[in-house]
């Protein structure tokens, strides 16, 4: 049994490998039961800690389960908000193949899913990217989007300019012009792609700020009481999700406007399963606004874990 730390996970999961692996997985026969989602009261904090249990398997091949907690106030403790492990099993004999760092897998596969969606939904000539949020995902999202689109300029907004600048420093190796910015509204109109990954409970993006031709990549708001965008955003955009069942139930970005009658189920165009299986072809006009809402899926974790295990085994052989 292998114990694989975050550095090995990051080494294995390059986006040119991971994005196609996710595309193949979404088009394949992978069994994914509904994930278990528990909100646990935390008297030491103002917000609950969430426990997620996410299984997935391929018949005759591998099975995996991700066990993670999400503690929204961990930034104040200089800790990542996501903690946990991923367990990968051999289906044939039931043996545990590896235990992996789950936060690293989560960050990589989440960013890769956004890039996969962007490859279907954003304009092929998208060159400018606005990142909202300065957590673990921010630098990964920049690298992921740049792997599928010719990104030349990135702007990063965070609660402080200092944190935003740190994200730019992390992606200096990409040779992309990256700037820390102090406001969201003033920088949205110039962005071809807007990627938002926060734990916000109230909208950060207003639909009235959007301009034709943009692509919205909404990664945060993993609970029904969280929102990163307002009603006007969902009204103006063609909406796509990673998986329809969870997206309609788990994120306030969609559950709230659905409950309020702002949008209906028919406004959800497709999920990544339909896109990757070529069951639906996206034909976007240059002026259309597209929206991808990510809530996460255990299939993504399994595909990423398989890549990691293959990579580490290859290193051992050498």
């Amino acid at each position: 049994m292998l114990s694989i730390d975050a550095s090995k996970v990051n080494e294995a999961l390059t986006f040119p490998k991971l994005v196609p692996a996710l595309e193949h997985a979404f088009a394949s026969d992978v069994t994914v039961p509904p994930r278990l989602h528990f909100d646990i009261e935390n008297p030491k904090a103002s917000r609950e800690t969430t426990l997620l249990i996410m299984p997935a398997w391929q018949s005759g091949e591998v099975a995996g389960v991700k066990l993670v907690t999400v503690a929204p106030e961990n930034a104040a403790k200089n800790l990542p908000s996501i903690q946990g492990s991923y367990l990968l099993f051999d289906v044939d004999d039931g043996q545990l193949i590896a235990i992996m760092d789950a936060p690293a897998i989560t960050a990589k596969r989440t960013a890769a899913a956004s890039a996969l969606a962007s490859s279907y939904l954003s304009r092929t000539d998208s060159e400018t990217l606005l990142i909202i949020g300065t957590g673990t995902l921010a630098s990964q999202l920049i690298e992921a989007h740049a792997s599928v689109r010719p990104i030349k300029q990135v702007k990063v907004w965070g609660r402080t300019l200092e944190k935003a600048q740190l994200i730019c420093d992390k992606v200096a190796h990409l040779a992309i012009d990256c700037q820390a910015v102090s406001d969201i509204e003033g920088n949205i109109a110039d962005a071809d792609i807007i990627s938002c990954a926060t734990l916000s409970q109230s909208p950060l993006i207003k639909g009235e700020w959007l301009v034709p031709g943009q692509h919205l990549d909404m990664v945060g708001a993993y609970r029904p009481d969280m929102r990163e965008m307002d009603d006007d955003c969902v009204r103006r955009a063609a909406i796509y999700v990673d998986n329809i069942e969870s997206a309609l139930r788990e994120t306030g970005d969609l559950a709230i406007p659905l409950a309020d009658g702002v949008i209906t189920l028919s406004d959800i165009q497709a999920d990544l399963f339909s896109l990757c299986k070529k069951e639906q072809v996206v034909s976007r006009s240059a002026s259309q606004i597209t929206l991808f809402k990510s809530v996460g899926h255990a299939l993504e974790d399994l595909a990423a874990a398989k890549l990691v295990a293959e990579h580490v085994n290859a290193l051992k052989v050498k």
Side-chain angles (χ1 to χ4, degrees), residues 15-268:
F15 291 111
K17 290 183 178 179
L18 183 54
V19 174
L22 290 192
E23 185 170 33
H24 176 75
F26 273 105
S28 303
D29 185 17
V30 179
T31 301
V32 183
R35 70 184 181 188
L36 299 178
H37 183 135
F38 303 100
D39 294 324
I40 305 169
E41 184 179 351
N42 182 9
K44 297 179 181 179
S46 62
R47 299 171 69 177
E48 298 167 316
T49 293
T50 300
L51 172 66
L52 297 172
I53 304 173
M54 303 173 64
W57 60 84
Q58 285 180 289
S59 178
E61 294 190 27
V62 292
V65 60
K66 186 169 75 173
L67 305 170
V68 294
T69 55
V70 184
E73 297 182 5
N74 269 8
K77 304 171 186 176
N78 293 317
L79 292 170
S81 59
I82 298 176
Q83 308 275 345
S85 296
Y86 192 90
L87 282 66
L88 185 68
F89 298 87
D90 186 320
V91 169
D92 181 47
D93 58 21
Q95 291 193 77
L96 179 61
I97 299 170
I99 298 177
M100 307 180 192
D101 183 86
I105 284 179
T106 302
K108 285 288 188 178
R109 63 81 152 151
T110 303
S114 287
L116 175 59
S118 181
S119 72
Y120 284 99
L121 303 175
S122 67
R123 299 194 328 270
T124 57
D125 62 349
S126 296
E127 296 183 346
T128 57
L129 171 66
L130 172 62
I131 295 289
I132 299 173
T134 55
T136 302
L137 266 172
S139 60
Q140 300 290 349
L141 285 165
I142 295 171
E143 189 166 353
H145 279 290
S147 75
V148 298
R149 289 292 184 256
I151 302 298
K152 295 181 179 178
Q153 183 181 60
V154 177
K155 294 182 179 180
V156 182
W157 176 89
R159 299 297 181 185
T160 68
L161 273 176
E162 290 77 13
K163 288 184 177 180
Q165 184 58 50
L166 287 175
I167 299 303
C168 287
D169 295 342
K170 284 185 179 181
V171 297
H173 64 285
L174 297 178
I176 291 174
D177 176 24
C178 187
Q179 302 174 22
V181 298
S182 59
D183 76 300
I184 297 174
E185 181 181 358
N187 290 282
I188 277 188
D190 295 329
D192 296 320
I193 299 172
I194 302 160
S195 187
C196 189
T198 73
L199 298 176
S200 179
Q201 291 181 299
S202 58
L204 297 170
I205 302 174
K206 294 184 178 181
E208 66 186 60
W209 300 342
L210 303 178
V211 299
Q214 291 181 309
H215 173 62
L216 284 172
D217 173 40
M218 308 303 293
V219 181
Y222 66 92
R223 286 173 36 145
D225 62 348
M226 290 180 171
R227 295 195 74 174
E228 294 184 302
M229 57 183 171
D230 69 2
D231 288 346
D232 282 341
C233 285
V234 294
R235 280 195 191 99
R236 295 190 63 187
I239 305 168
Y240 296 82
V241 298
D242 49 3
N243 65 107
I244 289 177
E245 181 185 1
S246 296
L248 299 182
R249 182 181 68 249
E250 295 186 8
T251 172
D253 273 336
L254 295 181
I256 293 172
L258 277 167
D260 292 344
V262 175
I263 57 173
T264 66
L265 291 178
S266 63
D267 290 312
I268 312 299

